[in-house]
Amino acid sequence: QVQLQESGPGLVKPSGTLSLTCAVSGGSITSGNYWSWVRQPPGKGLEWIGQIYLGGSTSYNPSFKSRVTISIDTSKNQFSLNLSSVTAADAAVYYCLRHGGRFFDCWGQGTLVTVSS
Amino acid sequence: QSALTQPASVSGSPGQSITISCTGTSSDVGGYNYVSWYQQHPGKAPKLMIYDVSNRPSGVSNRFSGSKSGNTASLTISGLQAEDEADYSCSSYSGSSTYVFGSGTKVTVL
């Protein structure tokens, strides 16, 4: 059974870059699924950030498009999120997840990122 | 890309049925049969409850059902139980390989 685990700094400075990695275990990241990032600000709803497919093709939420990059490292069986120019509004629990293109069926446990100087 | 609209809260007594709505547009909910629903307990990751409007994943109780009419999807929980108290979010494919989530609904079992 595929498991996902997010990792990265829990504290990022304003105007800095948020960088998170999602390690995939129990299966190969080359399995043909899509790999996404979703976030949830404290007390608020879920927000889809973007996704990457095996061939490296990406799609992003237009709200983030100019600041976000998602990449994949098949040699390490992991994928990553970079979000630049962060502000307090980017503070959230960030989830990595796998999906087949229609629904999100496998989620990581989430990692809390705080934005503060 | 605007969030799908859900009621902030819905409540019901044990044994009752409740319905949560999820309203979008013809570009997302109304345009595709790719609506899914997620249950989230405090401090936990979301769990898939319904996919493709009305399908249940293996292991999800048949007390949960989904439907769609026009630009509005609905999740119905029948025979409400204490363990159903959680936050519920809908999601829809919105074209061009993008997705949108709902604003979330807190379900309270009275």
Side-chain angles (χ1 to χ4, degrees):
Chain A
Q1 180 167 337
V2 171
Q3 292 187 316
L4 307 176
Q5 179 66 60
E6 306 88 350
S7 62
L11 178 63
V12 181
K13 292 185 184 332
S15 77
T17 296
L18 180 160
S19 296
L20 297 175
T21 296
C22 180
V24 179
S25 60
S28 174
I29 202 166
T30 62
S31 61
N33 292 293
Y34 294 85
W35 307 94
S36 267
W37 289 94
V38 168
R39 75 179 187 181
Q40 185 171 37
K44 296 187 177 182
L46 299 165
E47 185 173 31
W48 180 78
I49 300 171
Q51 72 180 16
I52 189 165
Y53 188 61
L54 175 60
S57 63
T58 55
S59 55
Y60 300 120
N61 183 329
S63 301
F64 297 94
K65 197 160 189 176
S66 63
R67 300 195 293 136
V68 66
T69 302
I70 296 176
S71 59
I72 195 167
D73 187 337
T74 56
S75 68
K76 294 183 178 179
N77 219 39
Q78 65 185 33
F79 63 107
S80 300
L81 168 72
N82 275 1
L83 184 66
S84 63
S85 304
V86 299
T87 68
D90 293 310
V93 174
Y94 285 76
Y95 295 98
C96 62
L97 47 99
R98 178 199 73 179
H99 65 105
R102 309 193 316 272
F103 52 87
F104 307 107
D105 63 337
C106 183
W107 297 65
Q109 65 183 29
T111 188
L112 176 64
V113 176
T114 302
V115 178
S116 175
S117 55
Chain B
Q1 190 180 58
S2 300
L4 307 175
T5 302
Q6 298 181 233
S9 63
V10 173
S11 62
S13 299
Q16 286 187 329
S17 293
I18 61 169
T19 297
I20 304 167
S21 61
C22 169
T23 302
T25 69
S26 58
S27 297
D28 37 62
V29 174
Y32 309 92
N33 287 324
Y34 296 152
V35 175
S36 50
W37 289 90
Y38 303 85
Q39 176 192 64
Q40 187 178 22
H41 288 107
K44 299 296 186 182
K47 173 188 175 184
L48 177 67
M49 304 301 284
I50 295 288
Y51 67 93
D52 294 352
V53 176
S54 60
N55 294 296
R56 277 187 311 276
S58 174
V60 171
S61 171
N62 59 9
R63 297 185 298 103
F64 292 84
S65 61
S67 63
K68 190 186 86 166
S69 177
N71 296 338
T72 298
S74 299
L75 173 72
T76 298
I77 308 175
S78 58
L80 198 62
Q81 299 180 0
E83 67 206 48
D84 300 331
E85 186 162 294
D87 292 328
Y88 292 82
S89 298
C90 60
S91 178
S92 175
Y93 180 69
S94 52
S96 301
S97 297
T98 65
Y99 305 83
V100 61
F101 280 95
S103 47
T105 298
K106 180 176 180 59
V107 168
T108 301
V109 181
L110 301 171

